[in-house]
Amino acid sequence: MVNVLLSRSSALNYPFVKNVLDEILKPNMKVVVIAFSFFGNLTKEEYNQTYSDNSEYVVKINENFNDYGITNISWIKYYDMTTDLMISLIKDADILYYPGGAPDLMFERIKEKKIFEALKSFDKIIIGSSAGSMIQLDNYHISKDNEYFKYSMNEGMGYINNMFVEVHYRRRKKQKSSLRKVRRLYKKDAYIIPDDGAIIKINDKILTLGTARKFSNKKGIIK
């Protein structure tokens, strides 16, 4: 199993990421994007506009995969898709992509649409940016920021169970406080992923790329 954790979707094409993934992502692969991470309660019309085939958001993510020669990209949409169709797409995929946005709301919608088990059992290649990185963990923390007004712990998909990550790391006090808190409570390794960093987990091997690095382990904070 391969897990790719990014802070920015564009990091998928950073040279130090591409050097690794060029050996893993192949042109004949099928990608399925889980388009459930939007903030708030978008109306059907607003949602369809945001996630239309020619929207800037969709085109940008598709182009990230096009750079690997991958053109078979399907989007699981919140509206107008049956659960059976969603599950069929997931089972047929080689790569799942979880976008950035609201990880807690994404998880709620996955449960609501009854596709959690299909996603949970997926064991090929999983790529996420920002919220899409966080949700890959069994439990993840959210640091206080402009969207979230307090620290919280949340349930994730459980693909990875031995670490925590802080995405968009900028050495902010609130981020460091969150990392210290999860280390004290859970005694797991914690990693930081700045916008110009990435983590790739291949089975049990963890690669920290760019500015990403381990922040702490069971013994304490790593200087």
Side-chain angles (χ1 to χ4, degrees), residues 16 23 65 138:
F16 53 81
E23 301 298 318
F65 287 104
D138 57 348

Side-chain angles (χ1 to χ4, degrees), residues 112-141:
E112 174 196 342
K113 296 296 184 179
K114 297 180 171 58
I115 60 172
F116 175 82
E117 292 301 331
L119 291 170
K120 171 71 174 176
S121 62
F122 189 85
D123 61 357
K124 298 175 185 176
I125 302 168
I126 299 171
I127 302 173
S129 58
S130 191
S133 294
M134 298 157 68
I135 201 172
Q136 293 185 51
L137 311 180
D138 57 348
N139 292 285
Y140 64 89
H141 70 278

Side-chain angles (χ1 to χ4, degrees), residues 66-98:
N66 294 164
D67 285 347
Y68 289 87
I70 299 172
T71 57
N72 192 337
I73 305 166
S74 302
W75 286 66
I76 288 184
K77 303 289 184 71
Y78 183 71
Y79 293 103
D80 296 332
M81 253 194 189
T82 66
T83 294
D84 286 345
L85 176 56
M86 293 179 188
I87 291 174
S88 176
L89 288 171
I90 293 164
K91 288 183 175 180
D92 199 37
D94 300 294
I95 303 166
L96 291 183
Y97 181 78
Y98 290 91

Side-chain angles (χ1 to χ4, degrees), residues 8-136:
R8 297 286 182 191
S9 61
S10 56
L12 192 59
N13 299 113
Y14 290 174
F16 53 81
V17 174
K18 209 165 186 303
N19 285 342
V20 177
L21 292 185
D22 271 337
E23 301 298 318
I24 298 171
L25 306 188
K26 302 302 178 184
N28 63 340
M29 288 182 168
K30 299 177 182 178
V31 175
V32 169
V33 182
I34 314 300
F36 286 5
S37 59
F38 54 95
F39 283 96
N41 297 309
L42 298 181
T43 65
K44 181 177 176 180
E45 182 180 0
E46 291 169 335
Y47 180 91
N48 288 339
Q49 183 175 1
T50 299
Y51 294 98
S52 67
D53 291 345
N54 60 354
S55 70
E56 182 180 355
Y57 183 83
V58 171
V59 168
K60 176 183 171 185
I61 289 178
N62 286 348
E63 285 178 345
N64 289 334
F65 287 104
N66 294 164
D67 285 347
Y68 289 87
I70 299 172
T71 57
N72 192 337
I73 305 166
S74 302
W75 286 66
I76 288 184
K77 303 289 184 71
Y78 183 71
Y79 293 103
D80 296 332
M81 253 194 189
T82 66
T83 294
D84 286 345
L85 176 56
M86 293 179 188
I87 291 174
S88 176
L89 288 171
I90 293 164
K91 288 183 175 180
D92 199 37
D94 300 294
I95 303 166
L96 291 183
Y97 181 78
Y98 290 91
D104 52 344
L105 297 179
M106 177 160 47
F107 188 81
E108 287 178 12
R109 292 165 185 142
I110 286 169
K111 286 293 190 73
E112 174 196 342
K113 296 296 184 179
K114 297 180 171 58
I115 60 172
F116 175 82
E117 292 301 331
L119 291 170
K120 171 71 174 176
S121 62
F122 189 85
D123 61 357
K124 298 175 185 176
I125 302 168
I126 299 171
I127 302 173
S129 58
S130 191
S133 294
M134 298 157 68
I135 201 172
Q136 293 185 51

Side-chain angles (χ1 to χ4, degrees), residues 3-7 128 133 136-137 160 163 165 193 197-200:
N3 298 85
V4 181
L5 295 84
L6 315 167
S7 282
S133 294
Q136 293 185 51
L137 311 180
I160 303 172
M163 60 188 282
V165 298
I193 311 177
I199 292 175
I200 299 178

